[in-house]
Amino acid sequence: MMIEKAPVGFDRPRENVTRGNMNTVEYFSSTVGNSRKTMVYTPPGFSDAKRYNVLYLLHGIGGDEAEWFNHGHPEVIFDNLYADGKLAPMIVVLPNGRAMPDDRATGDIFSAEKVRAFETFESDLLHDLIPFIESNYPVFTDRGNRALAGLSMGGGQSLNIGLHHLDRFAWIGAFSPAPNTKAPELLVPSPKETSASLKLLWLSCGDRDELLSISTRTHDYLARHEVPHAWYITKDGGHDWPVWKNDLYYFSRLLFHDVSSGDE
Ligand code: FER
């Protein structure tokens, strides 16, 4: 179905709202063998005395840990949603999904080595970043309190990693997933099991995106095998930020409402 357009002003800083904080922090990656950067958004009123859900939000092939912040200003979208009482308490982690020693988006970003690094990120995420976040922030650690989403390459990563680790993630979102997305029968070999463990599987794409066929082939398979999922097309939507910001606005609102106080 067509996704709606978020209300005017959803992405503009409002006066007189309490704001969250966006910071860059470093963690050691045993996967890559060096220290790596990630951005972390903590919501308005953040306190160590509370506990939070976590959304891991991934960038595209041309980006790094700052891509969402530089182009999408998710902190503005979240601050506004919190001011309106629409978002469950969550920390948002914005990693660098290119898991290699030089993880900057420079040179030939489509080279085999750099594309492979988006696969290596699975180990960095599961074995290095998540443990770092969970030992340094006051967060819930159950699968029902952990979401994974991203745009384009990050959308493909979210499907590839999330659907293969449903013991770790109950909420998965792919915005305009790229050709790194595995074939649907590899993503979801056991539709009944996948359906039973998911809280949310979100798939969206612009109708003018050259990568639309990746999303439709995934959606068609999910529909044929009766795997519940949210499926959204953006009218006049390209492979670009207006689409992804709109996706984030609607996707984030769906997260964690039933589980914000702990285990399922
Ligand atoms: C490709 C086309 C697009 C590809 C990746 C992309 C790995 C990623 C686009 C993006 O992240 O915006 O053939 O192959």
Side-chain angles (χ1 to χ4, degrees):
M1 63 190 274
M2 290 287 171
I3 195 166
E4 286 178 52
K5 277 212 162 46
V8 172
F10 82 104
D11 59 348
R12 290 195 211 128
R14 269 192 231 163
E15 281 175 38
N16 307 317
V17 300
T18 319
R19 298 184 199 289
N21 279 303
M22 188 68 101
N23 290 303
T24 302
V25 300
E26 296 200 10
Y27 63 102
F28 183 77
S29 168
S30 56
T31 299
V32 181
N34 50 243
S35 160
R36 309 196 70 220
K37 286 184 178 150
T38 182
M39 296 194 81
V40 179
Y41 168 86
T42 51
F46 174 73
S47 157
D48 276 331
K50 300 182 193 162
R51 289 228 274 164
Y52 296 86
N53 304 286
V54 188
L55 163 63
Y56 293 85
L57 184 62
L58 310 179
H59 61 81
I61 201 159
D64 57 28
E65 71 282 351
E67 184 180 51
W68 269 101
F69 176 62
N70 288 336
H71 299 277
H73 284 290
E75 76 285 6
V76 175
I77 298 173
F78 296 144
D79 289 346
N80 290 344
L81 281 169
Y82 280 112
D84 292 340
K86 302 286 195 208
L87 224 47
M90 70 180 93
I91 288 174
V92 183
V93 178
L94 305 114
N96 183 311
R98 189 183 295 96
M100 62 193 293
D102 177 3
D103 60 10
R104 297 303 94 189
T106 50
D108 180 6
I109 55 172
F110 286 91
S111 75
E113 185 194 20
K114 293 194 186 204
V115 168
R116 214 177 311 116
F118 281 83
E119 285 180 48
T120 309
F121 178 69
E122 175 166 337
S123 172
D124 180 84
L125 174 64
L126 296 177
H127 303 128
D128 302 310
L129 179 56
I130 290 176
F132 169 80
I133 293 297
E134 295 184 350
S135 54
N136 286 280
Y137 293 85
V139 295
F140 296 117
T141 57
D142 299 305
R143 61 182 293 280
N145 303 99
R146 203 183 286 119
L148 181 61
L151 71 90
S152 202
M153 283 298 273
Q157 287 176 309
S158 298
L159 296 171
N160 296 345
I161 300 171
L163 291 168
H164 277 167
H165 295 280
L166 286 167
D167 57 323
R168 312 293 296 278
F169 305 96
W171 313 80
I172 298 172
F175 311 160
S176 324
N180 63 329
T181 306
K182 288 185 184 149
E185 54 278 11
L186 295 178
L187 287 176
V188 184
S190 311
K192 281 210 173 70
E193 278 173 45
T194 296
S195 303
S197 8
L198 280 167
K199 291 204 177 277
L200 174 65
L201 175 56
W202 164 293
L203 187 58
S204 57
C205 197
D207 61 358
R208 295 191 181 165
D209 189 323
E210 288 181 2
L211 303 180
L212 177 60
S213 64
I214 306 287
S215 287
T216 52
R217 96 177 168 196
T218 309
H219 160 68
D220 289 347
Y221 177 93
L222 295 172
R224 198 158 60 243
H225 293 86
E226 297 177 3
V227 179
H229 63 292
W231 165 236
Y232 288 114
I233 296 285
T234 308
K235 190 167 150 33
D236 301 326
H239 196 71
D240 53 29
W241 286 98
V243 169
W244 300 323
K245 289 169 66 171
N246 203 62
D247 290 340
L248 184 64
Y249 176 85
Y250 284 107
F251 172 76
S252 61
R253 292 165 52 122
L254 300 177
L255 296 175
F256 305 127
H257 286 297
D258 60 333
V259 291
S260 53
S261 62
D263 207 347
E264 330 160 32

